Amino acid sequence: MANHDRNKKILLDLVKKPDNSRCADCEAPEPDWASYKLGTFVCLTCTGTHRNLSNISRIKSIHLDFWDDELVEFMRANGNASARAFYEMAVPPFYYRPRQQDCAVLREQWIRAKYERQEFTSQGKHLQQAYSSGLYEGSLWKKGRDNGHYLKRRFVLSEKDFTLRYFTTDSQTKGPKAVIAVKTLNATFQPEKIGHPHGLQLTYLCEDHTRNLFVYHEDAQEIVNWFCAIRATRLAYLKTAFPMASDSELLPWITRNYLKEGYMEKTGPLQREPFKKRWFVLDAADRKLLYFKTQLDAVELGAVFIGPESQGYSTGNASRSARGTGECGNKWKFGIIVETPERQFVFMCEQEREQKEWVAAFCQVISRPMLPQDYTTEVNLRRRR
């Protein structure tokens, strides 16, 4: 007869160990569930995918469920470190390991890749060729620039010339609609913005202006394969551009999520112009604040370089005098000032919480010293004025 209290204490002691104290799949702290077939400790969010893999993984609550002695001994003999040593033995450096805050499709496909397809074991490593061969092609649904409808387009990603091309028809005889250099390409999942659980935003530079493509695929594995293929091609490009850099130095630059996004109101340089609602994106890696008319615009309206404090950049809440007397049409009341060497920018937020988040995000960029590539970004933005 199993001793319920004793077994619960053993499990609670096991989950406090450093290797087990975070979810085996997304690194969420203090997991209180466990897969008694895999021997891993996982968070509540990741249990959803595990429950859909019932032939591979079975889930129990550490706190609420009854545990037999045999299952407790299995957990004691295994654990997160043991599982990682087998299931994550051959994760390629470009493969993105999702974290707690990442979208559902990334976390689900990471779990399925590890345990269901076993892509990162010696037996399943060949499955990585699908997205790491240097050439990836297929169809994606792309948002149209004019009517906003999503249209099926053929995309070809090539490591040979470091380009992403897309075509308006399946036939490539007419030539591509666009040729995008991998050099400036970024990919980030945006399911809420795009309105699809597999929504992916592709961003790149065209004549020093930022452009967006919004795409999705109905198949979850396929859209994540596209993301992995882009990351693999980006890493290959970075290794060519910076041959002396290590993988660990290059990994943060493969793809990146934006530090902060959202609507604010913006006025002009004289601060007498009408306030206009704009969608802002703070790209911390490039030290750029981009703004668009709407969140699904293809082309930016403008960009502001955010330099360091040592060069005269600062931010804070806007005083009543800086916000003006209300004659400029601003509807929102929570102001932000961003000081640059050339001018003062005034933005308005709808909620005080958003104001605090934006100020904190600006401070994070301003407090960071300039990198060599930041000077090039600054020069290119100045040249556009």
Side-chain angles (χ1 to χ4, degrees):
M1 184 74 179
N3 186 317
H4 177 71
D5 291 336
R6 180 183 68 86
N7 286 346
K8 181 177 179 180
K9 183 179 184 306
I10 292 173
L11 291 170
L12 291 176
D13 288 340
L14 286 174
V15 82
K16 291 177 183 177
K17 291 185 175 182
D19 289 331
N20 299 328
S21 64
R22 289 186 173 273
C23 174
D25 300 318
C26 76
E27 295 286 335
E30 301 178 356
D32 49 10
W33 296 79
S35 169
Y36 60 87
K37 289 192 72 173
L38 297 171
T40 59
F41 294 90
V42 296
C43 70
L44 175 61
T45 303
C46 289
T47 61
T49 301
H50 281 267
R51 293 184 192 280
N52 292 328
L53 303 175
S54 57
N55 59 326
I56 297 170
S57 180
R58 294 290 178 89
I59 295 293
K60 276 180 177 287
S61 168
I62 296 172
H63 298 276
L64 303 177
D65 289 328
F66 179 83
W67 286 77
D68 291 326
D69 293 346
E70 182 181 347
L71 295 182
V72 171
E73 288 306 312
F74 180 78
M75 296 301 301
R76 178 148 52 184
N78 291 276
N80 291 358
S82 177
R84 287 193 182 106
F86 178 76
Y87 291 105
E88 299 182 25
M89 179 183 64
V91 180
F94 61 80
Y95 200 100
Y96 183 76
R97 299 170 182 256
R99 292 296 177 259
Q100 180 182 12
Q101 69 275 12
D102 284 310
C103 64
V105 69
L106 269 177
R107 285 185 281 104
E108 178 199 1
Q109 288 304 308
W110 167 241
I111 293 170
R112 288 186 178 274
K114 283 202 297 181
Y115 307 122
E116 184 178 51
R117 301 191 292 270
Q118 296 191 14
E119 288 180 20
F120 313 122
T121 66
S122 56
Q123 295 87 354
K125 191 176 178 181
H126 65 280
L127 297 174
Q128 299 174 20
Q129 284 296 311
Y131 47 77
S132 63
S133 65
L135 179 67
Y136 200 85
E137 53 186 319
S139 295
L140 293 170
W141 290 92
K142 172 190 170 292
K143 178 181 175 293
R145 185 174 176 180
D146 298 324
N147 56 22
H149 295 159
Y150 281 82
L151 307 169
K152 197 172 185 180
R153 296 291 183 249
R154 183 159 189 82
F155 285 77
V156 178
L157 176 68
S158 174
E159 188 178 307
K160 184 178 180 180
D161 58 1
F162 294 123
T163 60
L164 174 66
R165 292 175 164 84
Y166 78 87
F167 301 79
T168 56
T169 63
D170 285 340
S171 172
Q172 300 179 21
T173 57
K174 296 180 64 175
K177 178 70 173 179
V179 179
I180 300 166
V182 167
K183 176 181 179 180
T184 64
L185 181 63
N186 185 44
T188 179
F189 276 95
Q190 297 277 13
E192 293 183 4
K193 181 191 292 187
I194 294 173
H196 192 282
H198 308 157
L200 188 66
Q201 178 178 332
L202 305 177
T203 303
Y204 61 98
L205 287 181
C206 180
E207 297 178 351
D208 290 329
H209 284 74
T210 300
R211 298 181 68 94
N212 294 318
L213 298 180
F214 301 98
V215 300
Y216 70 86
H217 197 283
E218 293 293 352
D219 184 83
Q221 184 179 348
E222 178 67 8
I223 196 66
V224 173
N225 278 355
W226 269 105
F227 184 64
C228 292
I230 290 170
R231 286 180 59 86
T233 307
R234 279 278 300 160
L235 180 58
Y237 165 77
L238 290 170
K239 284 185 173 182
T240 301
F242 307 99
M244 302 303 293
S246 65
D247 282 354
S248 61
E249 292 173 313
L250 297 177
L251 289 182
W253 300 96
I254 298 179
T255 60
R256 60 191 181 276
N257 294 325
Y258 300 117
L259 182 58
K260 175 71 178 168
E261 294 187 71
Y263 280 110
M264 293 191 290
E265 290 183 332
K266 172 187 178 296
T267 187
L270 299 178
Q271 298 180 17
R272 293 194 294 270
E273 299 87 346
F275 276 84
K276 295 180 180 179
K277 183 180 176 182
R278 296 290 183 251
W279 178 263
F280 287 86
V281 177
L282 182 56
D283 185 348
D286 271 353
R287 307 191 76 115
K288 289 195 295 189
L289 178 67
L290 306 166
Y291 56 95
F292 304 80
K293 187 173 183 179
T294 73
Q295 59 182 334
L296 291 177
D297 276 8
V299 185
E300 61 163 92
L301 293 177
V304 180
F305 183 78
I306 308 296
E309 186 177 9
S310 61
Q311 294 187 12
Y313 291 83
S314 64
T315 188
N317 296 344
S319 65
R320 182 175 297 274
S321 60
R323 295 200 303 264
T325 60
E327 297 176 354
C328 298
N330 59 299
K331 298 178 181 178
W332 296 342
K333 305 303 179 186
F334 299 96
I336 299 170
I337 286 180
V338 175
E339 297 279 2
T340 77
E342 290 82 20
R343 61 169 282 196
Q344 181 187 78
F345 290 87
V346 177
F347 308 111
M348 305 298 295
C349 298
E350 186 176 19
Q351 303 292 334
E352 185 177 12
R353 174 186 56 81
E354 294 171 341
Q355 177 195 47
K356 291 178 178 178
E357 290 176 355
W358 274 109
V359 170
F362 285 131
C363 285
Q364 185 173 326
V365 179
I366 290 170
S367 64
R368 204 179 68 226
M370 294 270 280
L371 297 175
Q373 59 266 30
D374 295 333
Y375 292 97
T376 302
T377 302
E378 183 180 23
V379 169
N380 289 338
L381 286 181
R382 288 179 185 277
R383 188 185 301 130
R384 285 170 42 180
R385 294 173 188 165

